[in-house]
């Protein structure tokens, strides 16, 4: 079993900041990558930021220069620092981990339950 626990979401005014955390636990053998996705009402789920264990990162164009993804490899934890937040950033943010487990040697994607981020005008 793999569990991803997210925290840090909430309500913030435009221009403010939030820091999301996602800690993965369970039968993890190899953590290949962790990242953040978001889904707003009426929208498809989209990639926000992703970071591989090799250090490669990528961001959605809409968040470049405002969001920063970081990690603690030993703790299987990924963070998303969100600055200069805009109302358009309002969405449910999901943490995703691509990993192998004790029960599966192939890489699978595991998702957190999502955390609400609401940015008011």
């Amino acid at each position: 079993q793999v569990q991803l626990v997210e925290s840090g979401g909430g309500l913030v005014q435009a221009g403010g900041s939030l820091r999301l955390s996602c800690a993965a636990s369970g039968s993890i053998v190899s953590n290949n990558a962790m990242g953040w996705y978001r889904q707003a009402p009426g929208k498809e789920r989209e990639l926000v930021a992703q970071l591989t264990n090799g250090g490669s990162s990528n961001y959605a164009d809409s968040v470049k220069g405002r969001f920063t993804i970081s990690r603690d490899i030993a703790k299987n934890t990924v963070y998303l620092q969100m600055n200069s937040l805009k109302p358009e950033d309002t969405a449910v943010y999901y943490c995703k981990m691509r990993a192998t487990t004790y029960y599966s040697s192939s890489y699978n994607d595991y998702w957190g339950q999502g955390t609400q981020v609401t940015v008011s005008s």
Side-chain angles (χ1 to χ4, degrees):
Q1 296 182 348
V2 174
Q3 301 84 38
L4 275 64
V5 179
E6 299 156 326
S7 62
L11 175 65
V12 66
Q13 293 183 349
S17 298
L18 286 173
R19 182 176 174 86
L20 305 183
S21 299
C22 174
S25 62
S27 57
I28 302 168
V29 175
S30 179
N31 182 346
N32 179 256
M34 298 188 75
W36 293 93
Y37 291 71
R38 67 185 181 188
Q39 187 167 19
K43 298 283 189 177
E44 296 293 324
R45 187 174 299 186
E46 65 174 349
L47 174 69
V48 177
Q50 184 163 304
L51 185 65
T52 69
N53 285 346
S56 298
S57 62
N58 59 298
Y59 296 86
D61 288 340
S62 59
V63 307
K64 287 181 179 177
R66 300 188 297 119
F67 291 9
T68 302
I69 187 169
S70 60
R71 64 184 176 182
D72 185 331
I73 298 176
K75 296 181 178 180
N76 290 313
T77 300
V78 65
Y79 307 92
L80 186 67
Q81 179 66 46
M82 304 184 294
N83 298 326
S84 301
L85 282 162
K86 305 175 181 179
E88 303 92 276
D89 296 317
T90 296
V92 177
Y93 283 70
Y94 296 91
C95 176
K96 189 193 78 173
M97 177 183 71
R98 177 163 291 183
T100 62
T101 71
Y102 295 122
Y103 306 101
S104 178
S105 60
S106 61
Y107 284 101
N108 293 306
D109 290 336
Y110 301 90
W111 293 87
Q113 77 288 344
T115 184
Q116 178 70 48
V117 172
T118 302
V119 184
S120 62
S121 300

